[in-house]
């Protein structure tokens, strides 16, 4: 078939990432003419990158979402009244692909007798979730639709686009075009087909809800929204993106770096880490079958040694690094420096020893890293660094402080096999810039509150460093305890800025709200700004303990609610934002709704319209 493609693109920064270029390059094999519509300005180098894979670039205002770009594209080719094409594709930037070869898609669809077709579809839903009433009809997803010549050049097709309303928000874009298009033309008698049959999956929106099963069926498209959509939605529907990614790693040759380079720019870290399960649980034996260490580049340990009596404990952990490394230490006095050198000299696997005395103790381990060691991590001499410090946490008491210390130490370096697995992960995943232990939650009240009073200052530093990222609302992804593995280039902005000792509070003022605690919470967001994701790493024995404790805490909290899923429980809690009277009323409505639904389904069916009226405004 002779094809033309109308490609609709939008990026708030005008950046055309490599996944778009790859998509268009592979699509160009099956489409002789591609017109690229950018709904907004493009970055400087974007047009140069596009020239080799598209025939026409048109920049238009960001008005009307994809449907208006498609309309402009159809006008551009004059609805093919010159009879040039057998098929016109309307495609947008919201998917990665081809995850599996486009040849499979086009070969299959060329064999089908139809007037228009799509890769995937959305099943009928009652009531329509966008209006709260009526029916959301079965429809093709608008990210990839093909229209054949008979329909393309018909008066009905041009009439549809002539009367199409301009959407001013996402809901209108869906209602005005996406859910209308399929029904409009099937009602006129045009034949529709879909590559992935919706009804095979038992989910209304398989490309999102059943992504793992769709990947098993070799879908050429993977939705970008899977990585940054609200995790509560996926939890409710059982969406298993991590399984989908495992399937792709085993059966697709698509380069995952194309995904990560793009998605890190557009996500909140907490949502991304949850949806994609960016947590690795490593055993004490190496997972790679080969026994020889790989080329990890130049590795260093950078430790702030305030308590010299803890140095042996720290070195017993760094001894598990399977390759020679540099040992960098900062400390408070010349006497401590001398003691450190005596202990470290002759230690196995240590290539070079650098010990520096800090000028002041303001900022503790943070200022020691970003001021005293600044030059060491700006000259690209190291590829990977493990940041440690001698942690006692005397303010928390010996037992609780010990829990915190082991949570840091034993999830970063534990055994030769475990540490080798961490280094292998950095080799296998070049998009990971920082590896951190999971958030400490045993004996510490971090869950949901870990910004404490650091967020205001963090926003100030965000502007100073010109970080183009979204902060998570209540609990940042961060190396609590200030120990982590990192690529120096991932957090270069923290080293590039010339911090001063006076930026940090006096020793007596050390605590939340001060620069040191703020920097701790910024590390992963600085890496995100540089294009890197953050991976949580945890050892098997720590994972088993942390999981059962967290499960226990969650079930105790969950038992305080009426029967219901996580989203329903969140709705109940959200009434705290209302007055007590409104909140109590709304909670009563939800509780009675659940009770009738589970105990008296027949009565619930009768009362459902009333419940819908009572809760619709709040649900919006």
């Amino acid at each position: 078939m002779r094809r033309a493609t109308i490609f609709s693109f939008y990026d708030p920064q005008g950046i055309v990432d490599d996944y778009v270029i790859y998509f268009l390059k592979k699509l160009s094999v099956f489409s002789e003419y591609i017109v690229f519509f950018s709904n907004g300005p493009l970055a400087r180098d974007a047009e140069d990158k596009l020239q080799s894979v598209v025939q026409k670039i048109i920049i238009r205002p960001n008005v009307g979402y994809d449907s208006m770009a498609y309309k402009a594209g159809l006008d551009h080719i004059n609805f093919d009244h010159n009879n040039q094409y057998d098929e016109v594709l309307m495609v947008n930037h919201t998917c990665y692909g081809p995850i599996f070869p486009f040849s499979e898609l086009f070969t299959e669809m060329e064999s089908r007798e139809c007037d228009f077709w799509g890769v995937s579809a959305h099943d009928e839903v009652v009531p329509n979730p966008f209006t709260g009433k009526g029916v959301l009809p079965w429809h093709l997803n608008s990210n990839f639709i093909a229209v054949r010549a008979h329909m393309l050049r018909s008066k009905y097709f041009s009439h549809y686009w002539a009367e199409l309303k301009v959407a001013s928000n996402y809901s209108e874009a869906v209602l005005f075009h996406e859910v209308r298009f399929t029904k409009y033309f099937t009602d006129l008698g045009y034949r529709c087909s879909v590559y992935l049959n919706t009804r095979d999956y038992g989910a209304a929106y398989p490309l999102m809800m059943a992504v793992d099963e769709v990947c098993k069926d070799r879908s050429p498209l993977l939705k970008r929204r899977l990585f940054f959509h609200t995790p509560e939605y996926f939890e409710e529907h059982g969406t298993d993106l991590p399984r989908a990614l495992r399937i792709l790693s085993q059966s697709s040759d698509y380069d995952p770096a194309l995904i990560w380079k793009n998605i890190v720019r557009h996500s909140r870290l907490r949502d991304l880490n949850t949806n994609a399960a960016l947590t690795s649980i490593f055993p004490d034996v190496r997972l790679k079958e080969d026994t020889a260490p790989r080329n990890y580049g130049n590795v260093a340990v950078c430790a702030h040694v305030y308590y010299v009596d803890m140095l042996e404990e720290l070195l017993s952990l760094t001894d598990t690094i399977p390759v020679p490394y540099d040992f960098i230490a900062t400390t408070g006095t010349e006497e401590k420096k001398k003691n450190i050198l005596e202990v470290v000299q002759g230690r196995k696997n240590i290539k070079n020893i650098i010990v520096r005395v800090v000028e002041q103790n303001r900022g503790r381990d943070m200022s020691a890293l970003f001021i005293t060691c600044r030059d060491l991590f700006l000259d690209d001499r190291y590829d990977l660094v493990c940041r440690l410090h001698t942690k006692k946490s005397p303010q928390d008491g010996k037992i609780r402080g010990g829990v915190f210390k082991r949570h840091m130490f034993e999830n970063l370096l534990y055994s030769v096999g475990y540490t080798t697995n961490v280094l292998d992960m950095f080799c296998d995943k070049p998009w990971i810039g920082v590896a951190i232990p999971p958030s400490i939650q045993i004996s510490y009240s971090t869950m949901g509150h870990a910004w404490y009073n650091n967020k205001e200052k963090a926003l100030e530093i965000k502007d100073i460093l010109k970080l183009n990222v979204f902060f998570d609302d209540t609990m940042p992804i961060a190396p609590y305890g200030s120990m982590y593995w990192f690529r120096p280039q991932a957090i270069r902005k923290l080293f590039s800025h010339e911090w001063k000792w006076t930026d940090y509070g006096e020793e007596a003022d050390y605590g939340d709200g001060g620069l040191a605690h703020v920097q701790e919470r910024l590390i992963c967001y600085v890496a995100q700004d540089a294009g890197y994701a953050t991976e949580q790493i945890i050892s098997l024995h720590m994972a088993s303990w942390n999981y059962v404790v967290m499960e226990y805490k969650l079930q105790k909290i969950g038992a305080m609610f009426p029967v219901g899923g996580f989203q329903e429980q969140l709705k109940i809690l959200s009434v705290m934002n209302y007055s007590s009277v409104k909140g109590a009323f709304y909670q009563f409505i939800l509780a009675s709704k659940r009770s009738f639904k589970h105990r008296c389904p027949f009565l619930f069916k009768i009362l459902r319209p009333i419940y819908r009226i009572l809760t619709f405004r709040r649900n919006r």
Side-chain angles (χ1 to χ4, degrees):
M1 287 188 174
R2 299 188 66 194
R3 295 185 182 88
T5 297
I6 302 164
F7 190 89
S8 174
F9 173 82
Y10 172 72
D11 184 275
Q13 299 168 262
I15 296 172
V16 177
D17 283 319
D18 290 343
Y19 88 92
V20 176
I21 303 300
Y22 181 83
F23 189 106
L24 292 169
K25 182 178 180 180
K26 293 298 183 180
L27 190 60
S28 67
V29 176
F30 303 92
S31 179
E32 64 186 64
Y33 184 79
I34 300 177
V35 54
F36 181 96
F37 279 91
S38 177
N39 299 296
L42 288 174
R44 243 179 228 181
D45 65 337
E47 291 193 47
D48 293 337
K49 293 168 67 174
L50 288 164
Q51 293 291 350
S52 62
V53 290
V54 304
Q55 283 67 49
K56 183 72 174 179
I57 301 169
I58 299 175
I59 298 173
R60 62 181 294 274
N62 185 26
V63 176
Y65 292 78
D66 294 337
S67 57
M68 288 298 112
Y70 295 152
K71 180 179 180 180
L74 291 165
D75 286 333
H76 175 72
I77 63 170
N78 194 28
F79 286 82
D80 194 37
H81 286 159
N82 295 327
N83 300 331
Q84 288 182 274
Y85 306 111
D86 302 303
E87 202 166 70
V88 167
L89 309 177
M90 293 178 286
V91 184
N92 68 28
H93 73 288
T94 62
C95 295
Y96 299 112
I99 304 300
F100 295 100
F102 276 141
S103 58
E104 298 177 9
L105 169 71
F106 287 112
T107 300
E108 170 61 28
M109 299 314 292
E110 284 175 10
S111 71
R112 298 191 190 181
E113 294 292 331
C114 61
D115 298 301
F116 67 109
W117 59 268
V119 172
S120 61
H122 196 297
D123 213 350
E124 178 181 290
V125 177
V126 180
N128 187 326
F130 291 94
T131 62
K133 60 183 179 181
V135 178
L136 181 81
W138 183 94
H139 61 276
L140 297 177
N141 296 131
S142 63
N143 48 52
F144 198 116
I145 292 178
V147 178
R148 290 186 176 157
H150 174 60
M151 178 171 148
L152 174 66
R153 294 192 284 269
S154 70
K155 64 180 180 180
Y156 303 106
F157 193 67
S158 57
H159 176 72
Y160 171 89
W161 293 99
E163 67 174 11
L164 185 64
K165 296 179 182 178
V166 179
S168 59
N169 56 55
Y170 173 75
S171 295
E172 288 183 352
V174 173
L175 293 170
F176 291 174
H177 171 61
E178 181 164 8
V179 303
R180 180 170 171 259
F181 182 86
T182 304
K183 188 175 186 304
Y184 183 94
F185 288 103
T186 53
D187 285 351
L188 287 171
Y190 289 101
R191 298 163 300 171
C192 175
S193 186
V194 62
Y195 183 61
L196 300 168
N197 190 341
T198 314
R199 292 172 177 84
D200 289 344
Y201 300 100
Y205 189 1
L207 208 60
M208 282 281 280
M209 296 177 182
V211 58
D212 51 333
E213 295 299 321
V214 165
C215 287
K216 280 178 63 180
D217 289 342
R218 300 179 69 83
S219 167
L221 305 181
L222 180 69
K223 286 286 290 182
R224 292 175 64 247
R225 181 172 283 274
L226 284 158
F227 293 84
F228 59 78
H229 196 59
T230 308
E232 297 97 275
Y233 174 89
F234 295 142
E235 188 274 338
E236 179 181 13
H237 294 286
T239 299
D240 197 343
L241 176 61
R243 180 174 181 240
L245 294 175
R246 290 195 300 274
I247 291 169
L248 297 186
S249 70
Q250 296 162 5
S251 56
S252 170
D253 62 0
Y254 189 81
D255 182 0
L258 295 173
I259 295 174
W260 295 106
K261 183 178 179 181
N262 167 258
I263 206 62
V264 167
R265 292 198 300 113
H266 296 277
S267 305
R268 292 182 185 274
L269 283 187
R270 179 67 60 184
D271 293 346
L272 177 61
N273 280 38
T274 302
N275 293 338
L278 296 186
T279 298
S280 292
I281 301 174
F282 290 130
D284 290 337
V285 295
R286 190 183 187 191
L287 294 170
K288 292 284 182 184
E289 293 181 1
D290 53 319
T291 56
R294 300 162 74 184
N295 180 14
Y296 304 121
N298 291 324
V299 179
V301 170
C302 184
H304 184 56
V305 186
Y306 183 81
Y307 300 107
V308 179
D309 61 313
M310 286 185 64
L311 184 56
E312 281 288 356
E313 180 182 8
L314 188 150
L315 288 170
S316 69
L317 293 168
T318 63
D319 281 347
T320 66
I321 297 174
V323 293
Y325 63 93
D326 284 4
F327 185 82
I328 303 164
T330 52
T331 192
T333 66
E334 289 293 337
E335 183 180 354
K336 288 181 179 181
K337 175 180 177 179
K338 181 180 177 182
N339 291 339
I340 292 168
L341 287 169
E342 289 174 354
V343 173
V344 175
Q345 290 287 356
R347 201 80 182 193
K348 73 169 188 176
N349 269 2
I350 295 180
K351 295 188 297 183
N352 301 298
I353 303 171
I354 302 171
V355 183
R356 294 179 175 180
V357 177
V358 299
E359 294 177 31
Q360 303 181 38
N361 197 37
R362 285 174 177 251
R364 300 184 184 179
D365 57 287
M366 283 295 183
S367 55
L369 177 62
F370 295 120
I371 296 180
T372 306
C373 295
R374 178 174 183 261
D375 60 305
L376 298 175
F377 302 114
L378 280 177
D379 62 5
D380 298 321
R381 73 176 75 180
Y382 297 113
D383 299 288
L384 197 58
V385 181
C386 184
R387 177 60 173 162
L388 302 171
H389 62 92
T390 51
K391 184 176 180 61
K392 288 190 177 181
S393 305
Q395 73 279 4
D396 295 332
K398 186 173 181 179
I399 302 301
R400 291 177 71 239
V403 167
F404 202 164
K405 179 193 71 174
R406 291 193 300 278
H407 185 78
M408 299 290 103
F409 282 1
E410 295 177 17
N411 287 325
L412 294 172
L413 305 141
Y414 187 63
S415 64
V416 173
Y418 179 86
T419 305
T420 305
N421 286 328
V422 174
L423 296 180
D424 286 340
M425 178 200 70
F426 275 101
C427 270
D428 294 338
K429 300 179 178 180
W431 54 86
I432 298 297
V434 182
I436 63 174
S439 304
I440 180 75
Q441 51 97 8
I442 296 175
S443 291
Y444 288 85
S445 57
T446 52
M447 301 303 291
H449 301 282
W451 275 115
Y452 297 117
N453 62 338
N454 296 292
K455 195 169 188 180
E456 184 177 349
K457 181 72 172 178
L459 288 168
E460 292 178 19
I461 304 300
K462 176 184 172 183
D463 289 340
I464 291 171
L465 298 182
K466 298 180 180 179
L467 302 181
N468 188 24
V469 295
F470 304 102
F471 279 169
D472 293 288
D473 292 332
T474 58
M475 187 173 180
I477 296 285
Y480 302 104
S482 303
M483 297 189 223
Y484 48 97
W485 284 91
F486 69 95
R487 300 184 199 269
Q489 59 188 358
I491 60 172
R492 180 176 291 273
K493 278 192 175 182
L494 282 169
F495 291 110
S496 296
H497 185 80
E498 295 188 15
W499 307 101
K500 299 179 177 61
W501 294 103
T502 52
D503 292 336
Y504 300 87
E506 296 277 1
E507 175 62 16
D509 298 326
Y510 185 86
D512 281 319
L515 179 58
H517 280 68
V518 169
Q519 286 176 328
E520 177 184 68
R521 285 155 176 79
L522 284 177
I523 286 165
C524 298
Y525 297 93
V526 173
Q528 181 188 14
D529 177 78
Y532 291 93
T534 294
E535 185 93 4
Q536 295 185 140
I537 54 175
I538 187 168
S539 55
L540 278 173
H541 67 285
M542 282 291 184
S544 62
W545 186 33
N546 274 259
Y547 178 84
V548 295
V549 172
M550 186 172 291
E551 185 180 74
Y552 178 82
K553 292 195 294 188
L554 286 173
Q555 65 85 21
K556 290 291 283 187
I557 294 172
M560 303 296 177
F561 292 91
V563 175
F566 180 58
Q567 291 211 63
E568 290 179 287
Q569 293 173 351
L570 285 180
K571 287 177 183 177
I572 292 173
L573 291 175
S574 70
V575 304
M576 295 179 181
N577 296 327
Y578 275 41
S579 68
S580 58
V581 175
K582 287 182 179 178
F585 173 74
Y586 187 71
Q587 189 168 356
F588 170 77
I589 293 297
L590 286 178
S592 64
K593 176 183 175 182
R594 278 188 297 275
S595 180
F596 281 128
K597 185 175 182 179
H598 292 286
R599 298 179 184 179
C600 305
F602 176 75
L603 185 57
F604 171 75
K605 189 174 181 180
I606 297 173
L607 295 175
R608 185 160 56 185
I610 298 174
Y611 283 121
R612 193 174 296 138
I613 293 170
L614 291 173
T615 60
F616 176 62
R617 182 171 296 278
R618 175 62 182 148
N619 289 343
R620 290 179 69 189

